[in-house]
Amino acid sequence: MAGHGGARNRSGPAPSLTSARSDARDVRAKRLPVGGYRGDFPPLSEFLPDATEREGQVWADLWRTPQASQWAVESWRHRTVAMYVRWLVRAEDPEATAATITASQRMADQIGMTPAGLRENGWLIVADDSAVHPDQVDKQAAAKRAGKTRTNGGGRRMRSV
């Protein structure tokens, strides 16, 4: 009976990180830099002492992704990232089983390497200048102006009843 009741991962609709309701509850996406992480990262040997050369390459590549900027401040994720590297390399084998591939995909979700994983972690990959991008500023200003002067299509202003 342990599997009955209670909240579950991905149960029900996830909060929309762009809605007014989420803003009111201060639920916001953690913005990750589109350019990736450029800082130092731990050696793979701390987590996988018997790591192969291919696992070392994948580890180094992963630590240059935008998600790594968040892993760097959440050290508890490092072991999960290392295990993802191990399962991903195993899944690359042409003889990999469905279970191996599924395990690597689930771990990719956990560490935010898939669109679903990004949403689950509340992360959003954005360009560093996206907050003040001129095109976006113009679009937002036009949307605000349009919202103030709504018409019925014939040029006549609409009124609320």
Side-chain angles (χ1 to χ4, degrees):
M1 298 302 262
H4 295 156
R8 291 176 176 76
N9 188 19
R10 297 186 187 176
S11 172
S16 170
L17 301 177
T18 58
S19 73
R21 183 172 185 208
S22 291
D23 283 346
R25 295 183 315 179
D26 201 29
V27 175
R28 300 179 202 266
K30 174 69 178 170
R31 297 169 158 286
L32 306 179
V34 73
Y37 178 67
R38 299 289 169 225
D40 293 332
F41 54 89
L44 180 58
S45 60
E46 284 184 28
F47 308 101
L48 299 176
D50 59 339
T52 66
E53 184 178 339
R54 175 67 184 144
E55 288 171 340
Q57 291 169 345
V58 172
W59 176 259
D61 289 345
L62 283 175
W63 277 95
R64 294 300 171 220
T65 64
Q67 293 86 331
S69 64
Q70 194 61 28
W71 303 335
V73 296
E74 297 176 347
S75 59
W76 55 270
R77 290 188 189 260
H78 295 178
R79 185 165 307 281
T80 306
V81 176
M83 291 310 301
Y84 169 66
V85 166
R86 169 115 331 142
W87 284 102
L88 180 62
V89 170
R90 287 179 181 174
E92 290 175 343
D93 184 347
E95 301 294 319
T97 64
T100 300
I101 295 168
T102 299
S104 70
Q105 289 172 339
R106 287 189 178 170
M107 293 190 91
D109 281 348
Q110 289 178 7
I111 64 172
M113 293 305 296
T114 64
L118 287 168
R119 279 190 306 274
E120 187 175 313
N121 284 293
W123 298 342
L124 184 63
I125 299 174
V126 296
D128 297 332
D129 63 347
S130 67
V132 293
H133 195 278
D135 291 343
Q136 293 300 320
V137 171
D138 292 343
K139 287 179 184 176
Q140 291 172 358
K144 285 181 184 176
R145 284 192 304 272
K148 291 180 182 175
T149 59
R150 295 180 65 192
T151 66
N152 64 0
R156 296 179 56 197
R157 288 183 53 98
M158 296 185 343
R159 296 183 292 170
S160 62
V161 180

